[in-house]
């Protein structure tokens, strides 16, 4: 893989699933490349640590037990195809409606 920054494959509002871990979420922000702390990055096991020169996504995430905010590399996300809504308390503050696979930003959240 080259050092060039990749184009974001997913958009704000899309529902995605982690490729390796058992959680899914809705994207609410995208960084063109890694923009978290070095401590966060180093905490990822080396054998699954993603490259920094790719888009990273902020997700309102859920798993079987809880909801939380996740920060995930593009290489570890796939489109979610189960068409169910994501259960997260912050969704209503950012998005106003859901259709299978995607949430729509509230008008006041659009740039």
């Amino acid at each position: 893989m080259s050092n060039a920054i990749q184009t974001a494959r997913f958009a704000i509002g899309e529902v995605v699933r982690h490729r390796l871990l058992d959680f899914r979420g809705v994207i609410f922000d995208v960084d063109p490349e890694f923009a978290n702390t070095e401590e966060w990055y180093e905490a990822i096991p080396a054998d699954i640590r993603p490259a920094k020169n790719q888009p990273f996504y902020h997700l309102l995430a859920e798993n079987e037990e809880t909801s939380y905010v996740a920060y995930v590399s593009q290489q570890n996300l796939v489109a979610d195809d189960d068409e169910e809504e994501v259960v997260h308390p912050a969704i209503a503050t950012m998005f106003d409606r859901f259709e299978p696979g995607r949430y729509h930003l509230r008008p006041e959240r659009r740039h």
Side-chain angles (χ1 to χ4, degrees), residues 14-18 23-27 59-62 80 86:
E14 271 189 78
V15 179
V16 292
R17 180 174 298 281
H18 196 283
F23 71 87
R24 60 196 290 269
V26 58
I27 296 167
L59 308 178
L60 298 176
E62 67 169 356
D80 182 75
V86 173

Side-chain angles (χ1 to χ4, degrees), residues 19 48 87 90 111:
R19 191 171 59 83
I48 62 167
V87 178
H111 296 292

Side-chain angles (χ1 to χ4, degrees), residues 54-93:
Q54 63 181 310
F56 275 73
Y57 299 84
H58 300 260
L59 308 178
L60 298 176
E62 67 169 356
N63 62 25
E64 290 292 322
E65 293 84 42
T66 189
S67 59
Y68 53 97
V69 173
Y71 190 65
V72 185
S73 64
Q74 180 161 280
Q75 76 186 55
N76 284 325
L77 291 177
V78 294
D80 182 75
D81 57 5
D82 76 4
E83 299 187 355
E84 297 290 321
E85 292 190 48
V86 173
V87 178
H88 193 288
I91 286 177
T93 67

